[in-house]
Amino acid sequence: MSVHLVSSIEARDFGAETLRIGDLNGDGAPDLLFVQSVYGSREITCLTAATILGDRLWQSGKPSADNGRVYSDLPVQVYDWDGDGVNEVIYIRQAIYAEPVEYGEEKIRERATRYEGAATLVVLDATTGREKTSFPVPAPADDALLFADLTGRGRREDLVIKDRYWNMWGIAHDGRVLWRWEGSPGHYPAVADVDGDGCDEVFVGYALIDHDGRPLWQKEWGDSHQDAAYMARPPGGEWRLLFGNHGLHCLAVDGTDLWHHPLHEAQHVVVGKYRADSPLQVAVIDRGFPRTPEGKSADLYLYDLATGRELWKRRQPPGGWVAACTDIRWSGAGERQDIMVYERGMGQPVAVYDGDGKIVDEMPVPPEICSTYHSGEGSNPGIHLCYRADVWGDSREEVILAGWKGVRIYANARPLALPTLYNQTLYTGM
């Protein structure tokens, strides 16, 4: 193992499991945006911009140590919204939930039977945190937020916004509502121009929506929702649409089911070039007990994208039922990607797997930045989230581990492999 801790941030009252990563001070280097929210909702309460060493840049809202944990994805992004070469912070301010639908002891609030007013998309200057502009969006549209090119602008400047599980909207850059689709959008859509018309289609697992909101096809999957969606195109091949629910499905653009595996609860579907023996592969986590039969731990699978053939399976430690995976360029540009697995159980390290299923590096998860939020068999043990980004500019991605009390950034400590330099001379160009 060869891992180096390059940054340790004690976030105190502004800590958050939800981070967004991007240049926030205009120096061209990545910074961190800590996003706090009311647990059980997507109500964003505080945004704090900081460098990767923890130096605070600005803050919008009132920080609270009680609002660092997260229930779901949050509608906030760092993006060059106006195309001037400088980033903005974009987030959604909720409408008033006049008659909220609440459930459970913690009063989880995913929707309302009546809203007051509209939700608001707010654009902040990323260097100062000051508001630049805003416009209304439909009141329930306050869950996942992603950029797409729905109007042929040549750049992803339009918006796709969804509520928790029931609706999705296409919204133009100027705030016009282009369309609304009612169905089962799942956790997070995927976008790509699969028909080559210069506009993005939106894939939600059970439907492919054209840029104008028209369903190109739509399937019925009962009361299920998709836990992950991914669109990938092998070199010289056709687009493939993948999603996970109670199985892993690979579809053609026309909705034909090319192959599937009946897993218990497939999540975090990520396509990458992890091996050299086929163009692309698919990594997926199948969650464990208590979401699956008693005693079963989560499993990490790797499949061949073209055929669906299982390449290997790696059992995760007991208790890690919330385990998640993502791709990571741990070895740098030009090298095969690796697979990062985190939330593997209380006290278990973050693991980086190579394409052969071998753990090449592990990173400790400090208990002081994490917490167990609930007790009982359904608890989330030692919750933390992991992100990856090249924060040093050496083409290798670092692991950014976030708990609600702090952040740790780990780097690959091996010397970066470079081609051997030869025929060196003082007389360059001779």
Side-chain angles (χ1 to χ4, degrees), residues 264-265 284-293 295-301 313-324 341-345 353:
H264 290 285
E265 188 176 357
V284 62
I285 286 282
D286 188 16
R287 298 179 83 174
F289 179 75
R291 293 297 185 92
T292 49
K296 181 187 179 300
S297 295
D299 290 310
L300 171 66
Y301 289 89
K313 177 177 76 172
R314 296 294 180 264
R315 178 63 46 94
Q316 299 302 299
W321 69 273
V322 290
V341 184
Y342 54 98
E343 291 189 311
R344 302 170 70 230
Y353 288 82

PDB file of all heavy atoms in Angstrom, residues 264-265 284-293 295-301 313-324 341-345 353:
ATOM      1  N   HIS A 264     -29.845  -8.420  -5.919  1.00  0.00           N
ATOM      2  CA  HIS A 264     -30.830  -8.038  -4.898  1.00  0.00           C
ATOM      3  C   HIS A 264     -31.133  -6.538  -4.960  1.00  0.00           C
ATOM      4  O   HIS A 264     -32.272  -6.120  -5.069  1.00  0.00           O
ATOM      5  CB  HIS A 264     -30.308  -8.409  -3.501  1.00  0.00           C
ATOM      6  CG  HIS A 264     -30.274  -9.879  -3.260  1.00  0.00           C
ATOM      7  ND1 HIS A 264     -31.399 -10.619  -3.017  1.00  0.00           N
ATOM      8  CD2 HIS A 264     -29.236 -10.752  -3.231  1.00  0.00           C
ATOM      9  CE1 HIS A 264     -31.069 -11.892  -2.849  1.00  0.00           C
ATOM     10  NE2 HIS A 264     -29.766 -11.989  -2.978  1.00  0.00           N
ATOM     11  N   GLU A 265     -30.108  -5.704  -4.868  1.00  0.00           N
ATOM     12  CA  GLU A 265     -30.303  -4.258  -4.933  1.00  0.00           C
ATOM     13  C   GLU A 265     -29.037  -3.634  -5.525  1.00  0.00           C
ATOM     14  O   GLU A 265     -28.104  -3.275  -4.820  1.00  0.00           O
ATOM     15  CB  GLU A 265     -30.596  -3.654  -3.557  1.00  0.00           C
ATOM     16  CG  GLU A 265     -30.984  -2.196  -3.641  1.00  0.00           C
ATOM     17  CD  GLU A 265     -31.363  -1.605  -2.294  1.00  0.00           C
ATOM     18  OE1 GLU A 265     -31.372  -2.344  -1.294  1.00  0.00           O
ATOM     19  OE2 GLU A 265     -31.645  -0.404  -2.249  1.00  0.00           O
ATOM     20  N   VAL A 284     -20.401  -2.575 -10.276  1.00  0.00           N
ATOM     21  CA  VAL A 284     -21.673  -2.348  -9.591  1.00  0.00           C
ATOM     22  C   VAL A 284     -21.605  -2.948  -8.195  1.00  0.00           C
ATOM     23  O   VAL A 284     -20.950  -3.967  -7.967  1.00  0.00           O
ATOM     24  CB  VAL A 284     -22.851  -2.969 -10.393  1.00  0.00           C
ATOM     25  CG1 VAL A 284     -22.699  -4.475 -10.527  1.00  0.00           C
ATOM     26  CG2 VAL A 284     -24.194  -2.627  -9.766  1.00  0.00           C
ATOM     27  N   ILE A 285     -22.255  -2.277  -7.264  1.00  0.00           N
ATOM     28  CA  ILE A 285     -22.403  -2.787  -5.897  1.00  0.00           C
ATOM     29  C   ILE A 285     -23.792  -3.395  -5.745  1.00  0.00           C
ATOM     30  O   ILE A 285     -24.795  -2.785  -6.123  1.00  0.00           O
ATOM     31  CB  ILE A 285     -22.222  -1.660  -4.858  1.00  0.00           C
ATOM     32  CG1 ILE A 285     -20.752  -1.271  -4.733  1.00  0.00           C
ATOM     33  CG2 ILE A 285     -22.780  -2.082  -3.505  1.00  0.00           C
ATOM     34  CD1 ILE A 285     -19.909  -2.216  -3.912  1.00  0.00           C
ATOM     35  N   ASP A 286     -23.845  -4.606  -5.199  1.00  0.00           N
ATOM     36  CA  ASP A 286     -25.113  -5.214  -4.781  1.00  0.00           C
ATOM     37  C   ASP A 286     -25.160  -5.132  -3.262  1.00  0.00           C
ATOM     38  O   ASP A 286     -24.309  -5.698  -2.571  1.00  0.00           O
ATOM     39  CB  ASP A 286     -25.176  -6.678  -5.241  1.00  0.00           C
ATOM     40  CG  ASP A 286     -26.539  -7.301  -5.011  1.00  0.00           C
ATOM     41  OD1 ASP A 286     -27.502  -6.541  -4.797  1.00  0.00           O
ATOM     42  OD2 ASP A 286     -26.631  -8.535  -5.036  1.00  0.00           O
ATOM     43  N   ARG A 287     -26.134  -4.387  -2.731  1.00  0.00           N
ATOM     44  CA  ARG A 287     -26.161  -4.098  -1.293  1.00  0.00           C
ATOM     45  C   ARG A 287     -26.410  -5.354  -0.464  1.00  0.00           C
ATOM     46  O   ARG A 287     -26.943  -6.343  -0.948  1.00  0.00           O
ATOM     47  CB  ARG A 287     -27.228  -3.047  -0.988  1.00  0.00           C
ATOM     48  CG  ARG A 287     -26.940  -1.730  -1.672  1.00  0.00           C
ATOM     49  CD  ARG A 287     -28.003  -0.713  -1.402  1.00  0.00           C
ATOM     50  NE  ARG A 287     -27.783  -0.057  -0.121  1.00  0.00           N
ATOM     51  CZ  ARG A 287     -28.520   0.983   0.309  1.00  0.00           C
ATOM     52  NH1 ARG A 287     -29.503   1.446  -0.434  1.00  0.00           N
ATOM     53  NH2 ARG A 287     -28.273   1.544   1.460  1.00  0.00           N
ATOM     54  N   GLY A 288     -26.044  -5.275   0.808  1.00  0.00           N
ATOM     55  CA  GLY A 288     -26.138  -6.418   1.695  1.00  0.00           C
ATOM     56  C   GLY A 288     -27.205  -6.262   2.764  1.00  0.00           C
ATOM     57  O   GLY A 288     -28.040  -5.359   2.724  1.00  0.00           O
ATOM     58  N   PHE A 289     -27.170  -7.152   3.746  1.00  0.00           N
ATOM     59  CA  PHE A 289     -28.124  -7.161   4.851  1.00  0.00           C
ATOM     60  C   PHE A 289     -28.046  -5.830   5.606  1.00  0.00           C
ATOM     61  O   PHE A 289     -26.962  -5.315   5.815  1.00  0.00           O
ATOM     62  CB  PHE A 289     -27.780  -8.323   5.790  1.00  0.00           C
ATOM     63  CG  PHE A 289     -28.685  -8.438   6.988  1.00  0.00           C
ATOM     64  CD1 PHE A 289     -29.958  -8.937   6.841  1.00  0.00           C
ATOM     65  CD2 PHE A 289     -28.260  -8.038   8.243  1.00  0.00           C
ATOM     66  CE1 PHE A 289     -30.796  -9.047   7.946  1.00  0.00           C
ATOM     67  CE2 PHE A 289     -29.086  -8.134   9.339  1.00  0.00           C
ATOM     68  CZ  PHE A 289     -30.354  -8.649   9.190  1.00  0.00           C
ATOM     69  N   PRO A 290     -29.188  -5.185   6.000  1.00  0.00           N
ATOM     70  CA  PRO A 290     -30.550  -5.715   6.056  1.00  0.00           C
ATOM     71  C   PRO A 290     -31.384  -5.526   4.791  1.00  0.00           C
ATOM     72  O   PRO A 290     -32.572  -5.836   4.806  1.00  0.00           O
ATOM     73  CB  PRO A 290     -31.158  -4.915   7.200  1.00  0.00           C
ATOM     74  CG  PRO A 290     -30.498  -3.587   7.083  1.00  0.00           C
ATOM     75  CD  PRO A 290     -29.093  -3.872   6.670  1.00  0.00           C
ATOM     76  N   ARG A 291     -30.789  -5.026   3.709  1.00  0.00           N
ATOM     77  CA  ARG A 291     -31.556  -4.859   2.478  1.00  0.00           C
ATOM     78  C   ARG A 291     -31.697  -6.169   1.713  1.00  0.00           C
ATOM     79  O   ARG A 291     -32.486  -6.255   0.788  1.00  0.00           O
ATOM     80  CB  ARG A 291     -30.883  -3.810   1.590  1.00  0.00           C
ATOM     81  CG  ARG A 291     -30.921  -2.394   2.170  1.00  0.00           C
ATOM     82  CD  ARG A 291     -32.344  -1.900   2.304  1.00  0.00           C
ATOM     83  NE  ARG A 291     -32.408  -0.528   2.745  1.00  0.00           N
ATOM     84  CZ  ARG A 291     -32.469   0.527   1.935  1.00  0.00           C
ATOM     85  NH1 ARG A 291     -32.504   0.344   0.640  1.00  0.00           N
ATOM     86  NH2 ARG A 291     -32.518   1.741   2.417  1.00  0.00           N
ATOM     87  N   THR A 292     -30.902  -7.147   2.061  1.00  0.00           N
ATOM     88  CA  THR A 292     -30.892  -8.430   1.374  1.00  0.00           C
ATOM     89  C   THR A 292     -30.923  -9.532   2.432  1.00  0.00           C
ATOM     90  O   THR A 292     -30.939  -9.256   3.622  1.00  0.00           O
ATOM     91  CB  THR A 292     -29.636  -8.549   0.500  1.00  0.00           C
ATOM     92  OG1 THR A 292     -28.495  -8.195   1.278  1.00  0.00           O
ATOM     93  CG2 THR A 292     -29.709  -7.621  -0.697  1.00  0.00           C
ATOM     94  N   PRO A 293     -30.947 -10.814   2.040  1.00  0.00           N
ATOM     95  CA  PRO A 293     -31.101 -11.886   3.030  1.00  0.00           C
ATOM     96  C   PRO A 293     -30.091 -11.820   4.170  1.00  0.00           C
ATOM     97  O   PRO A 293     -28.952 -11.382   3.997  1.00  0.00           O
ATOM     98  CB  PRO A 293     -30.891 -13.153   2.189  1.00  0.00           C
ATOM     99  CG  PRO A 293     -31.345 -12.758   0.821  1.00  0.00           C
ATOM    100  CD  PRO A 293     -30.932 -11.323   0.662  1.00  0.00           C
ATOM    101  N   GLY A 295     -27.332 -12.099   6.790  1.00  0.00           N
ATOM    102  CA  GLY A 295     -25.991 -12.644   6.716  1.00  0.00           C
ATOM    103  C   GLY A 295     -25.248 -12.284   5.452  1.00  0.00           C
ATOM    104  O   GLY A 295     -24.027 -12.439   5.380  1.00  0.00           O
ATOM    105  N   LYS A 296     -25.949 -11.793   4.425  1.00  0.00           N
ATOM    106  CA  LYS A 296     -25.281 -11.472   3.167  1.00  0.00           C
ATOM    107  C   LYS A 296     -24.629 -10.095   3.244  1.00  0.00           C
ATOM    108  O   LYS A 296     -25.264  -9.106   3.587  1.00  0.00           O
ATOM    109  CB  LYS A 296     -26.264 -11.494   2.002  1.00  0.00           C
ATOM    110  CG  LYS A 296     -25.603 -11.186   0.659  1.00  0.00           C
ATOM    111  CD  LYS A 296     -26.621 -11.036  -0.453  1.00  0.00           C
ATOM    112  CE  LYS A 296     -25.963 -10.706  -1.772  1.00  0.00           C
ATOM    113  NZ  LYS A 296     -25.194  -9.437  -1.724  1.00  0.00           N
ATOM    114  N   SER A 297     -23.355 -10.030   2.921  1.00  0.00           N
ATOM    115  CA  SER A 297     -22.667  -8.753   2.834  1.00  0.00           C
ATOM    116  C   SER A 297     -22.836  -8.175   1.433  1.00  0.00           C
ATOM    117  O   SER A 297     -23.267  -8.864   0.505  1.00  0.00           O
ATOM    118  CB  SER A 297     -21.179  -8.925   3.145  1.00  0.00           C
ATOM    119  OG  SER A 297     -20.984  -9.330   4.487  1.00  0.00           O
ATOM    120  N   ALA A 298     -22.468  -6.907   1.301  1.00  0.00           N
ATOM    121  CA  ALA A 298     -22.486  -6.295  -0.022  1.00  0.00           C
ATOM    122  C   ALA A 298     -21.419  -6.947  -0.896  1.00  0.00           C
ATOM    123  O   ALA A 298     -20.403  -7.446  -0.399  1.00  0.00           O
ATOM    124  CB  ALA A 298     -22.241  -4.799   0.095  1.00  0.00           C
ATOM    125  N   ASP A 299     -21.657  -6.934  -2.205  1.00  0.00           N
ATOM    126  CA  ASP A 299     -20.708  -7.497  -3.167  1.00  0.00           C
ATOM    127  C   ASP A 299     -20.375  -6.460  -4.228  1.00  0.00           C
ATOM    128  O   ASP A 299     -21.252  -5.716  -4.688  1.00  0.00           O
ATOM    129  CB  ASP A 299     -21.290  -8.737  -3.861  1.00  0.00           C
ATOM    130  CG  ASP A 299     -21.415  -9.924  -2.925  1.00  0.00           C
ATOM    131  OD1 ASP A 299     -20.435 -10.245  -2.244  1.00  0.00           O
ATOM    132  OD2 ASP A 299     -22.512 -10.518  -2.872  1.00  0.00           O
ATOM    133  N   LEU A 300     -19.108  -6.438  -4.628  1.00  0.00           N
ATOM    134  CA  LEU A 300     -18.669  -5.651  -5.772  1.00  0.00           C
ATOM    135  C   LEU A 300     -18.513  -6.585  -6.958  1.00  0.00           C
ATOM    136  O   LEU A 300     -17.809  -7.598  -6.867  1.00  0.00           O
ATOM    137  CB  LEU A 300     -17.337  -4.968  -5.462  1.00  0.00           C
ATOM    138  CG  LEU A 300     -16.637  -4.274  -6.640  1.00  0.00           C
ATOM    139  CD1 LEU A 300     -17.453  -3.080  -7.135  1.00  0.00           C
ATOM    140  CD2 LEU A 300     -15.223  -3.844  -6.246  1.00  0.00           C
ATOM    141  N   TYR A 301     -19.200  -6.256  -8.060  1.00  0.00           N
ATOM    142  CA  TYR A 301     -19.121  -7.065  -9.277  1.00  0.00           C
ATOM    143  C   TYR A 301     -18.444  -6.259 -10.376  1.00  0.00           C
ATOM    144  O   TYR A 301     -18.581  -5.023 -10.443  1.00  0.00           O
ATOM    145  CB  TYR A 301     -20.513  -7.444  -9.776  1.00  0.00           C
ATOM    146  CG  TYR A 301     -21.253  -8.460  -8.945  1.00  0.00           C
ATOM    147  CD1 TYR A 301     -22.059  -8.057  -7.886  1.00  0.00           C
ATOM    148  CD2 TYR A 301     -21.185  -9.821  -9.245  1.00  0.00           C
ATOM    149  CE1 TYR A 301     -22.774  -8.989  -7.137  1.00  0.00           C
ATOM    150  CE2 TYR A 301     -21.902 -10.755  -8.502  1.00  0.00           C
ATOM    151  CZ  TYR A 301     -22.687 -10.333  -7.443  1.00  0.00           C
ATOM    152  OH  TYR A 301     -23.388 -11.250  -6.707  1.00  0.00           O
ATOM    153  N   LYS A 313     -16.258 -11.217  -8.700  1.00  0.00           N
ATOM    154  CA  LYS A 313     -17.076 -10.707  -7.596  1.00  0.00           C
ATOM    155  C   LYS A 313     -16.187 -10.635  -6.358  1.00  0.00           C
ATOM    156  O   LYS A 313     -15.407 -11.554  -6.098  1.00  0.00           O
ATOM    157  CB  LYS A 313     -18.276 -11.625  -7.332  1.00  0.00           C
ATOM    158  CG  LYS A 313     -19.128 -11.196  -6.138  1.00  0.00           C
ATOM    159  CD  LYS A 313     -20.344 -12.096  -5.950  1.00  0.00           C
ATOM    160  CE  LYS A 313     -19.970 -13.426  -5.337  1.00  0.00           C
ATOM    161  NZ  LYS A 313     -21.167 -14.228  -4.980  1.00  0.00           N
ATOM    162  N   ARG A 314     -16.318  -9.552  -5.568  1.00  0.00           N
ATOM    163  CA  ARG A 314     -15.550  -9.402  -4.339  1.00  0.00           C
ATOM    164  C   ARG A 314     -16.502  -9.075  -3.187  1.00  0.00           C
ATOM    165  O   ARG A 314     -17.161  -8.036  -3.181  1.00  0.00           O
ATOM    166  CB  ARG A 314     -14.495  -8.297  -4.479  1.00  0.00           C
ATOM    167  CG  ARG A 314     -13.425  -8.601  -5.528  1.00  0.00           C
ATOM    168  CD  ARG A 314     -12.566  -9.790  -5.137  1.00  0.00           C
ATOM    169  NE  ARG A 314     -11.548 -10.069  -6.147  1.00  0.00           N
ATOM    170  CZ  ARG A 314     -11.677 -10.970  -7.122  1.00  0.00           C
ATOM    171  NH1 ARG A 314     -12.813 -11.665  -7.232  1.00  0.00           N
ATOM    172  NH2 ARG A 314     -10.707 -11.172  -7.980  1.00  0.00           N
ATOM    173  N   ARG A 315     -16.555  -9.991  -2.239  1.00  0.00           N
ATOM    174  CA  ARG A 315     -17.400  -9.807  -1.056  1.00  0.00           C
ATOM    175  C   ARG A 315     -16.839  -8.690  -0.176  1.00  0.00           C
ATOM    176  O   ARG A 315     -15.636  -8.620   0.074  1.00  0.00           O
ATOM    177  CB  ARG A 315     -17.472 -11.128  -0.290  1.00  0.00           C
ATOM    178  CG  ARG A 315     -18.269 -11.132   1.019  1.00  0.00           C
ATOM    179  CD  ARG A 315     -19.737 -10.835   0.854  1.00  0.00           C
ATOM    180  NE  ARG A 315     -20.421 -11.526  -0.207  1.00  0.00           N
ATOM    181  CZ  ARG A 315     -21.084 -12.679  -0.053  1.00  0.00           C
ATOM    182  NH1 ARG A 315     -21.088 -13.297   1.122  1.00  0.00           N
ATOM    183  NH2 ARG A 315     -21.720 -13.208  -1.072  1.00  0.00           N
ATOM    184  N   GLN A 316     -17.711  -7.792   0.281  1.00  0.00           N
ATOM    185  CA  GLN A 316     -17.306  -6.694   1.154  1.00  0.00           C
ATOM    186  C   GLN A 316     -17.424  -7.096   2.623  1.00  0.00           C
ATOM    187  O   GLN A 316     -18.088  -8.083   2.949  1.00  0.00           O
ATOM    188  CB  GLN A 316     -18.145  -5.458   0.850  1.00  0.00           C
ATOM    189  CG  GLN A 316     -17.993  -4.954  -0.576  1.00  0.00           C
ATOM    190  CD  GLN A 316     -16.557  -4.622  -0.922  1.00  0.00           C
ATOM    191  OE1 GLN A 316     -15.932  -3.762  -0.313  1.00  0.00           O
ATOM    192  NE2 GLN A 316     -16.000  -5.323  -1.913  1.00  0.00           N
ATOM    193  N   PRO A 317     -16.776  -6.370   3.548  1.00  0.00           N
ATOM    194  CA  PRO A 317     -16.824  -6.742   4.966  1.00  0.00           C
ATOM    195  C   PRO A 317     -18.250  -6.736   5.501  1.00  0.00           C
ATOM    196  O   PRO A 317     -19.112  -5.991   5.006  1.00  0.00           O
ATOM    197  CB  PRO A 317     -15.976  -5.655   5.635  1.00  0.00           C
ATOM    198  CG  PRO A 317     -15.093  -5.130   4.552  1.00  0.00           C
ATOM    199  CD  PRO A 317     -15.904  -5.206   3.306  1.00  0.00           C
ATOM    200  N   PRO A 318     -18.540  -7.533   6.523  1.00  0.00           N
ATOM    201  CA  PRO A 318     -19.876  -7.540   7.133  1.00  0.00           C
ATOM    202  C   PRO A 318     -20.232  -6.154   7.669  1.00  0.00           C
ATOM    203  O   PRO A 318     -19.376  -5.416   8.152  1.00  0.00           O
ATOM    204  CB  PRO A 318     -19.737  -8.554   8.276  1.00  0.00           C
ATOM    205  CG  PRO A 318     -18.577  -9.407   7.888  1.00  0.00           C
ATOM    206  CD  PRO A 318     -17.637  -8.524   7.135  1.00  0.00           C
ATOM    207  N   GLY A 319     -21.494  -5.808   7.555  1.00  0.00           N
ATOM    208  CA  GLY A 319     -21.963  -4.532   8.088  1.00  0.00           C
ATOM    209  C   GLY A 319     -21.934  -3.395   7.100  1.00  0.00           C
ATOM    210  O   GLY A 319     -22.488  -2.330   7.369  1.00  0.00           O
ATOM    211  N   GLY A 320     -21.311  -3.590   5.955  1.00  0.00           N
ATOM    212  CA  GLY A 320     -21.216  -2.508   4.987  1.00  0.00           C
ATOM    213  C   GLY A 320     -22.345  -2.508   3.985  1.00  0.00           C
ATOM    214  O   GLY A 320     -22.098  -2.458   2.774  1.00  0.00           O
ATOM    215  N   TRP A 321     -23.574  -2.536   4.449  1.00  0.00           N
ATOM    216  CA  TRP A 321     -24.703  -2.650   3.536  1.00  0.00           C
ATOM    217  C   TRP A 321     -24.906  -1.380   2.701  1.00  0.00           C
ATOM    218  O   TRP A 321     -25.564  -1.412   1.667  1.00  0.00           O
ATOM    219  CB  TRP A 321     -25.985  -2.969   4.304  1.00  0.00           C
ATOM    220  CG  TRP A 321     -26.500  -1.869   5.174  1.00  0.00           C
ATOM    221  CD1 TRP A 321     -26.138  -1.614   6.464  1.00  0.00           C
ATOM    222  CD2 TRP A 321     -27.484  -0.889   4.835  1.00  0.00           C
ATOM    223  NE1 TRP A 321     -26.835  -0.526   6.941  1.00  0.00           N
ATOM    224  CE2 TRP A 321     -27.662  -0.068   5.961  1.00  0.00           C
ATOM    225  CE3 TRP A 321     -28.223  -0.629   3.679  1.00  0.00           C
ATOM    226  CZ2 TRP A 321     -28.545   1.008   5.978  1.00  0.00           C
ATOM    227  CZ3 TRP A 321     -29.110   0.441   3.695  1.00  0.00           C
ATOM    228  CH2 TRP A 321     -29.267   1.236   4.839  1.00  0.00           C
ATOM    229  N   VAL A 322     -24.299  -0.259   3.139  1.00  0.00           N
ATOM    230  CA  VAL A 322     -24.425   0.971   2.356  1.00  0.00           C
ATOM    231  C   VAL A 322     -23.207   1.178   1.452  1.00  0.00           C
ATOM    232  O   VAL A 322     -22.992   2.274   0.950  1.00  0.00           O
ATOM    233  CB  VAL A 322     -24.597   2.196   3.278  1.00  0.00           C
ATOM    234  CG1 VAL A 322     -25.938   2.184   3.949  1.00  0.00           C
ATOM    235  CG2 VAL A 322     -23.484   2.256   4.320  1.00  0.00           C
ATOM    236  N   ALA A 323     -22.416   0.144   1.250  1.00  0.00           N
ATOM    237  CA  ALA A 323     -21.219   0.273   0.421  1.00  0.00           C
ATOM    238  C   ALA A 323     -21.548   0.878  -0.939  1.00  0.00           C
ATOM    239  O   ALA A 323     -22.606   0.620  -1.515  1.00  0.00           O
ATOM    240  CB  ALA A 323     -20.552  -1.088   0.248  1.00  0.00           C
ATOM    241  N   ALA A 324     -20.618   1.682  -1.447  1.00  0.00           N
ATOM    242  CA  ALA A 324     -20.799   2.361  -2.730  1.00  0.00           C
ATOM    243  C   ALA A 324     -19.495   2.291  -3.509  1.00  0.00           C
ATOM    244  O   ALA A 324     -18.422   2.126  -2.938  1.00  0.00           O
ATOM    245  CB  ALA A 324     -21.208   3.815  -2.507  1.00  0.00           C
ATOM    246  N   VAL A 341     -14.185   1.800  -3.515  1.00  0.00           N
ATOM    247  CA  VAL A 341     -15.333   1.340  -2.735  1.00  0.00           C
ATOM    248  C   VAL A 341     -15.231   1.940  -1.340  1.00  0.00           C
ATOM    249  O   VAL A 341     -14.182   1.846  -0.690  1.00  0.00           O
ATOM    250  CB  VAL A 341     -15.393  -0.196  -2.651  1.00  0.00           C
ATOM    251  CG1 VAL A 341     -16.654  -0.634  -1.917  1.00  0.00           C
ATOM    252  CG2 VAL A 341     -15.352  -0.805  -4.052  1.00  0.00           C
ATOM    253  N   TYR A 342     -16.317   2.535  -0.871  1.00  0.00           N
ATOM    254  CA  TYR A 342     -16.325   3.203   0.431  1.00  0.00           C
ATOM    255  C   TYR A 342     -17.609   2.865   1.171  1.00  0.00           C
ATOM    256  O   TYR A 342     -18.459   2.139   0.656  1.00  0.00           O
ATOM    257  CB  TYR A 342     -16.144   4.713   0.268  1.00  0.00           C
ATOM    258  CG  TYR A 342     -17.126   5.374  -0.675  1.00  0.00           C
ATOM    259  CD1 TYR A 342     -18.252   6.028  -0.200  1.00  0.00           C
ATOM    260  CD2 TYR A 342     -16.907   5.350  -2.047  1.00  0.00           C
ATOM    261  CE1 TYR A 342     -19.145   6.642  -1.057  1.00  0.00           C
ATOM    262  CE2 TYR A 342     -17.796   5.961  -2.925  1.00  0.00           C
ATOM    263  CZ  TYR A 342     -18.912   6.605  -2.424  1.00  0.00           C
ATOM    264  OH  TYR A 342     -19.794   7.202  -3.274  1.00  0.00           O
ATOM    265  N   GLU A 343     -17.730   3.379   2.399  1.00  0.00           N
ATOM    266  CA  GLU A 343     -18.839   3.006   3.290  1.00  0.00           C
ATOM    267  C   GLU A 343     -18.934   1.484   3.405  1.00  0.00           C
ATOM    268  O   GLU A 343     -20.008   0.897   3.293  1.00  0.00           O
ATOM    269  CB  GLU A 343     -20.156   3.614   2.804  1.00  0.00           C
ATOM    270  CG  GLU A 343     -20.180   5.121   2.951  1.00  0.00           C
ATOM    271  CD  GLU A 343     -21.544   5.725   2.681  1.00  0.00           C
ATOM    272  OE1 GLU A 343     -22.157   5.401   1.655  1.00  0.00           O
ATOM    273  OE2 GLU A 343     -21.987   6.513   3.530  1.00  0.00           O
ATOM    274  N   ARG A 344     -17.820   0.860   3.698  1.00  0.00           N
ATOM    275  CA  ARG A 344     -17.724  -0.601   3.736  1.00  0.00           C
ATOM    276  C   ARG A 344     -17.981  -1.165   5.134  1.00  0.00           C
ATOM    277  O   ARG A 344     -17.739  -2.343   5.374  1.00  0.00           O
ATOM    278  CB  ARG A 344     -16.341  -1.038   3.238  1.00  0.00           C
ATOM    279  CG  ARG A 344     -16.036  -0.556   1.828  1.00  0.00           C
ATOM    280  CD  ARG A 344     -14.594  -0.768   1.429  1.00  0.00           C
ATOM    281  NE  ARG A 344     -14.272  -2.172   1.237  1.00  0.00           N
ATOM    282  CZ  ARG A 344     -13.223  -2.791   1.782  1.00  0.00           C
ATOM    283  NH1 ARG A 344     -12.419  -2.132   2.612  1.00  0.00           N
ATOM    284  NH2 ARG A 344     -12.990  -4.060   1.524  1.00  0.00           N
ATOM    285  N   GLY A 345     -18.480  -0.321   6.049  1.00  0.00           N
ATOM    286  CA  GLY A 345     -18.764  -0.781   7.403  1.00  0.00           C
ATOM    287  C   GLY A 345     -17.940  -0.028   8.430  1.00  0.00           C
ATOM    288  O   GLY A 345     -16.884   0.533   8.124  1.00  0.00           O
ATOM    289  N   TYR A 353      -9.741  -0.932  -5.850  1.00  0.00           N
ATOM    290  CA  TYR A 353      -9.560  -2.207  -6.553  1.00  0.00           C
ATOM    291  C   TYR A 353      -9.059  -1.948  -7.968  1.00  0.00           C
ATOM    292  O   TYR A 353      -9.499  -0.996  -8.629  1.00  0.00           O
ATOM    293  CB  TYR A 353     -10.890  -2.959  -6.654  1.00  0.00           C
ATOM    294  CG  TYR A 353     -11.407  -3.558  -5.382  1.00  0.00           C
ATOM    295  CD1 TYR A 353     -12.107  -2.779  -4.455  1.00  0.00           C
ATOM    296  CD2 TYR A 353     -11.231  -4.917  -5.102  1.00  0.00           C
ATOM    297  CE1 TYR A 353     -12.609  -3.339  -3.293  1.00  0.00           C
ATOM    298  CE2 TYR A 353     -11.732  -5.480  -3.938  1.00  0.00           C
ATOM    299  CZ  TYR A 353     -12.420  -4.687  -3.037  1.00  0.00           C
ATOM    300  OH  TYR A 353     -12.915  -5.241  -1.875  1.00  0.00           O
TER     301      TYR A 353
END
